[in-house]
């Protein structure tokens, strides 16, 4: 049971660089989410998707982009990385209305 | 929009002490409520959930009751162990959409 898989686990970026955080789930879940976790700030929703081809902004979408071409994959793209994007990023998926979300192990990103 | 307010930490307890973490929410309709736990260096995992008013979720000695009248979902455990040291998050899933909103998290440290 792989569940939700995130790659990479760690990454250091220079200011202005771009990268894609990968997220894949093998549970055939329709709903997927990207969060960032800053110390003492809880989880902030960046983007979410209710199915392939459908995405929507969360609380803090600026500086990020997503796509959902398949049910399994939900990559998060950072363009022109900034120090404010230093954080731990979590991907999650959800099967349905009365079910819980499953989380990946997280990606720790540092922008210097 | 929907939101969750959670008791701030950190909380430090001795083994076998009683633990309570307060959580209140703001939402329209009848959201689903969750408690997630995050152990050091790991992703979030579900601790317990309740999907309708007066439901009680329970797991690993933890309990929480969905109180519609006070819009609360407080987490309790009667006798904590060192292994309960973690960050605990209260979360809400809206009844009208599939956004997941999280509280700021409460760090709990249990000393032997």
């Amino acid at each position: 049971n792989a569940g939700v898989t995130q790659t990479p686990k760690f990454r250091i970026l220079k200011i202005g660089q771009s990268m894609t955080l990968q997220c894949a789930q093998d549970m055939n879940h329709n709903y997927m989410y990207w969060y960032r976790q800053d110390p003492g700030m809880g989880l902030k929703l960046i983007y979410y998707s209710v199915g392939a081809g459908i995405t929507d902004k969360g609380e803090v979408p600026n500086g990020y982009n997503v796509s959902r071409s398949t049910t399994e994959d939900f990559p998060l793209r950072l363009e022109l990385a900034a120090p404010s994007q230093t954080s731990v990023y979590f991907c999650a998926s959800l099967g349905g209305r009365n079910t819980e979300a499953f989380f990946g192990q997280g990606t720790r990103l540092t922008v210097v | 929009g929907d939101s969750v307010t959670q008791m701030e930490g950190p909380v430090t307890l001795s083994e076998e002490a009683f633990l309570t973490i307060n959580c209140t929410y703001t939402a329209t309709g009848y959201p689903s409520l969750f408690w997630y736990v995050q152990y050091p260096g790991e992703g979030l995992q579900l601790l317990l959930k309740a999907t309708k008013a007066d439901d009680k979720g329970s797991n690993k000695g933890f309990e929480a009751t969905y109180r519609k009248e006070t819009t609360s979902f407080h987490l309790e455990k009667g006798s904590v162990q060192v292994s309960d040291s973690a960050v605990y998050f209260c979360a809400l899933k809206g009844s009208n959409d599939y956004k997941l909103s999280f509280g700021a998290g409460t760090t709990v440290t249990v000393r032997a």
Side-chain angles (χ1 to χ4, degrees), chain A residues 89-104:
Chain A
Y89 292 83
F90 287 102
C91 178
S93 73
L94 183 78
R97 180 166 290 281
N98 290 326
T99 64
E100 72 270 21
F102 292 84
F103 282 80

Side-chain angles (χ1 to χ4, degrees), chain B residues 55-66:
Chain B
D55 266 2
K56 177 186 281 189
S58 61
N59 185 27
K60 299 181 181 179
F62 290 89
E63 292 185 341
T65 301
Y66 187 162

Side-chain angles (χ1 to χ4, degrees), chain A residues 1-90:
Chain A
N1 287 344
V4 180
T5 303
Q6 285 184 242
T7 56
K9 286 187 168 52
F10 304 93
R11 183 71 185 269
I12 297 174
L13 278 183
K14 293 185 178 179
I15 294 172
Q17 287 186 319
S18 301
M19 77 164 293
T20 299
L21 281 67
Q22 301 291 345
C23 176
Q25 53 92 7
D26 61 358
M27 297 172 281
N28 201 33
H29 286 172
N30 283 327
Y31 308 96
M32 295 188 74
Y33 308 83
W34 274 106
Y35 292 89
R36 58 178 288 171
Q37 183 180 26
D38 300 319
M41 300 297 290
L43 278 76
K44 298 293 185 185
L45 181 63
I46 304 171
Y47 271 96
Y48 68 107
S49 169
V50 300
I54 306 170
T55 63
D56 209 347
K57 295 178 181 179
E59 302 169 79
V60 291
N62 292 343
Y64 307 94
N65 277 300
V66 293
S67 59
R68 186 95 182 272
S69 56
T70 67
T71 299
E72 295 78 18
D73 299 301
F74 191 41
L76 177 72
R77 178 84 177 160
L78 279 71
E79 305 282 1
L80 299 174
S84 61
Q85 293 178 304
T86 294
S87 189
V88 181
Y89 292 83
F90 287 102

Side-chain angles (χ1 to χ4, degrees), chain B residues 35-39 43-47 60 84-89:
Chain B
W35 277 100
Y36 282 85
V37 59
Q38 184 182 32
Y39 299 105
L44 279 72
Q45 54 187 278
L46 180 72
L47 182 59
K60 299 181 181 179
D84 294 324
S85 298
V87 183
Y88 293 83
F89 292 92

Side-chain angles (χ1 to χ4, degrees), chain B residues 13-17 39-40 77 79-86 88 108-112:
Chain B
L13 300 165
S14 297
E15 224 170 8
E16 299 183 4
Y39 299 105
K77 186 172 185 179
S79 177
V80 294
Q81 305 300 313
V82 172
S83 57
D84 294 324
S85 298
Y88 293 83
V108 174
T109 302
V110 180
R111 295 183 172 168

